[in-house]
Amino acid sequence: MQINNRFRVLFVGFIAVMILIEILGDPVNFWLRYDREQILAGQVWRLFTGHLVHLGWQHLLLNLAGLILTYLVFYRYLVDGQGIIAVFVIALGVSAGLLLFNPDLAWYVGLSGLLHGLLMFAAVRAVFDKKNANQKIYITLVILLLIKIGYEQVIGPMPTSAVLKNYKIISDAHLYGAVSGLVLVIIFLLGRYLIQIKRSTA
């Protein structure tokens, strides 16, 4: 089985798990969500599972729409080993950022921080892909993503977040996700560059 097919299975499974968690409701939600006190008490799985939990069906469907759109647009840059690694590293990066820099945040749920990280990761990969004929489009996407994150940090959540007006949008999660995605893709790009230099001088 090729890695692309394995990724499709993982992708569908990822969606199915989030739907199942929502169906099972609050008992599972409380056990899986990012919870600062419980994480510090040793429940480290919450650093990852918190991204699978949502505030309700509306929140879940919004995030699933974003996930599917990201998958369709950036499929080529997410279906290999680096893309799979990115999911786990960015998820951990978001949770670690909240743990370190948002001590007043008791709990957090949702996929949006991870999505921002995957968008940054895949878009930057696309920019540096010499085979890509649409680099200007991806450069624009990176710039727009940076503007969005800057807007959220200075002004607050985007107006489109009003659909979740009954809940507080944690914009810092978007920042930590984007930073994690950017740092990871830079590491991969530098690694590839160093390997090319080593081969050329061998």
Side-chain angles (χ1 to χ4, degrees):
M1 183 183 293
Q2 297 178 349
I3 192 165
N4 286 8
N5 292 330
R6 290 200 296 269
F7 187 90
R8 291 190 188 99
V9 172
L10 289 172
F11 183 75
V12 173
F14 192 60
I15 292 175
V17 167
M18 286 188 285
I19 293 174
L20 178 60
I21 289 172
E22 191 58 38
I23 291 173
L24 293 175
D26 287 345
V28 174
N29 181 310
F30 293 145
W31 190 67
L32 295 178
R33 73 184 186 181
Y34 169 97
D35 186 304
R36 179 181 178 83
E37 182 178 341
Q38 297 303 327
I39 291 171
L40 294 176
Q43 297 182 7
V44 294
W45 67 80
R46 294 174 181 269
L47 294 170
F48 297 96
T49 59
H51 304 281
L52 305 176
V53 181
H54 291 81
L55 297 169
W57 286 104
Q58 185 181 43
H59 187 206
L60 172 61
L61 291 176
L62 281 172
N63 276 339
L64 287 183
L67 178 63
I68 292 170
L69 182 60
T70 300
Y71 176 81
L72 293 175
V73 174
F74 295 104
Y75 173 82
R76 178 178 174 183
Y77 304 101
L78 293 173
V79 298
D80 59 2
Q82 290 187 9
I84 294 173
I85 290 172
V87 173
F88 292 97
V89 171
I90 295 168
L92 180 60
V94 173
S95 296
L98 295 173
L99 200 64
L100 292 171
F101 304 116
N102 297 76
D104 295 331
L105 182 67
W107 61 273
Y108 165 85
V109 297
L111 196 63
S112 60
L114 176 57
L115 277 177
H116 280 72
L118 290 176
L119 280 169
M120 180 65 76
F121 176 84
V124 174
R125 282 192 77 182
V127 169
F128 285 90
D129 182 2
K130 295 179 180 179
K131 298 179 181 179
N132 182 6
N134 299 310
Q135 288 177 315
K136 291 182 179 179
I137 294 176
Y138 292 109
I139 290 173
T140 302
L141 286 174
V142 171
I143 293 172
L144 289 175
L145 184 56
L146 290 172
I147 291 173
K148 177 183 183 295
I149 292 170
Y151 178 97
E152 290 177 336
Q153 289 298 307
V154 175
I155 300 177
M158 299 289 288
T160 52
S161 299
V163 70
L164 295 173
K165 60 184 178 180
N166 293 328
Y167 302 96
K168 181 180 179 181
I169 305 299
I170 310 300
S171 299
D172 284 347
H174 303 167
L175 172 64
Y176 303 148
V179 170
S180 298
L182 181 59
V183 170
L184 183 61
V185 74
I186 288 174
I187 291 172
F188 282 141
L189 290 171
L190 284 175
R192 186 179 67 184
Y193 177 70
L194 292 175
I195 290 173
Q196 290 175 346
I197 291 178
K198 185 176 181 179
R199 287 176 178 175
S200 64
T201 57

